Amino acid sequence: MNGPHWPAELVDGDIVLRPIRLRDQKAWREVNRRNRDWLRPWEATIPPPTPSGPVIHRPTYRQMVRHLRSEANAGRMLPFVIEYQGRLVGQLTVAGITWGSMCSGHVGYWVDEAVAGRGVVPTAVAMVVDHCFRTVGLHRIEVCIRPENGPSRRVVEKLGFREEGLRPRYLHIDGAWRDHLVFALTAEEVPDGLLARWRRARSERRSGHERRNPGIPHGPGN
């Protein structure tokens, strides 16, 4: 059973967000294996244990999914896989959902290098932000990104997230505590929806490309 705000799926053309499942293990592992070098610089890692702290091990796939589903059912998380043209190509999670005076959450994502640059992640992020603002009732969504992660920074820049500043040594990534830039949006900033704004931006960019390069075919866009 899904949590109160965990939809069966969110769809925009070839791009689908749906809840992660135990039976996704084979496809999920295959995508991760192929993209090991592509993802390693941006992946969360387990810090060394402190003298008095517990030893924490990286969870298995089944442990990860059970934890994500438990958090979703408690209303604290929205964990999705990303599908593109019918196959699993990544993962997107709204985590740290907080209610009360804050009504906030933060988004993390990764995608198969083979589909990078096709607008998959910006579209997926736009869909989930609209769901969080319009259905879940959150007020603010943030994305935290390493300054060195150019592709991920381009995602939030294309979508119009505001850069709010630097969080020094914010997360343990790729074996060390890493600085992260904070990008955020509030519901008031996208009254017509983030997906609609993203579609307009893509259309305008393509029209501008065609005006500058008449008769030259262009790619699928970012």
Side-chain angles (χ1 to χ4, degrees):
M1 180 180 294
N2 292 342
H5 303 297
W6 203 18
E9 61 181 19
L10 302 172
V11 182
D12 185 71
D14 289 336
I15 300 167
V16 177
L17 288 175
R18 62 162 177 80
I20 191 168
R21 304 180 297 218
L22 287 172
R23 62 180 178 272
D24 291 321
Q25 180 172 353
K26 182 178 179 181
W28 188 94
R29 286 189 180 280
E30 191 276 329
V31 175
N32 265 261
R33 179 188 58 77
R34 279 194 294 101
N35 288 273
R36 180 57 26 217
D37 293 338
W38 161 258
L39 297 174
R40 184 178 292 113
W42 324 118
E43 265 194 341
T45 45
I46 304 296
T50 62
S52 59
V55 176
I56 302 173
H57 299 285
R58 193 173 185 86
T60 65
Y61 176 83
R62 295 180 70 85
Q63 288 170 336
M64 176 190 73
V65 172
R66 286 177 176 142
H67 170 72
L68 293 175
R69 294 186 72 88
S70 174
E71 290 295 288
N73 289 331
R76 293 187 290 264
M77 190 177 285
L78 295 171
F80 298 97
V81 294
I82 306 171
E83 290 185 344
Y84 178 64
Q85 296 182 342
R87 78 181 174 90
L88 192 153
V89 296
Q91 192 171 346
L92 184 152
T93 302
V94 184
I97 294 176
T98 304
W99 299 101
S101 300
M102 183 170 284
C103 292
S104 178
H106 56 84
V107 172
Y109 47 79
W110 61 264
V111 72
D112 189 340
E113 186 178 13
V115 302
R118 302 187 191 183
V120 174
V121 172
T123 301
V125 172
M127 284 195 291
V128 87
V129 168
D130 284 350
H131 177 71
C132 286
F133 287 163
R134 294 175 168 182
T135 302
V136 180
L138 296 183
H139 174 251
R140 170 187 161 92
I141 293 291
E142 71 177 31
V143 182
C144 297
I145 301 171
R146 286 187 62 184
E148 305 88 348
N149 191 345
S152 195
R153 289 180 66 175
R154 284 192 289 275
V155 168
V156 292
E157 288 163 2
K158 290 170 186 173
L159 292 173
F161 277 72
R162 284 176 290 99
E163 183 177 335
E164 293 190 333
L166 183 73
R167 289 182 179 168
R169 297 171 296 281
Y170 178 62
L171 288 174
H172 202 271
I173 302 285
D174 193 28
W177 294 104
R178 310 288 186 178
D179 297 349
H180 280 65
L181 291 168
V182 183
F183 298 85
L185 271 180
T186 60
E188 293 90 347
E189 293 173 271
V190 283
D192 298 324
L194 185 56
L195 185 59
R197 187 167 81 178
W198 165 233
R199 286 171 176 160
R200 287 195 300 270
R202 293 186 82 183
S203 177
E204 290 167 3
R205 188 163 65 250
R206 286 171 173 168
S207 296
H209 178 90
E210 289 168 354
R211 286 194 298 271
R212 292 190 302 271
N213 302 280
I216 299 175
H218 59 278
N222 292 324

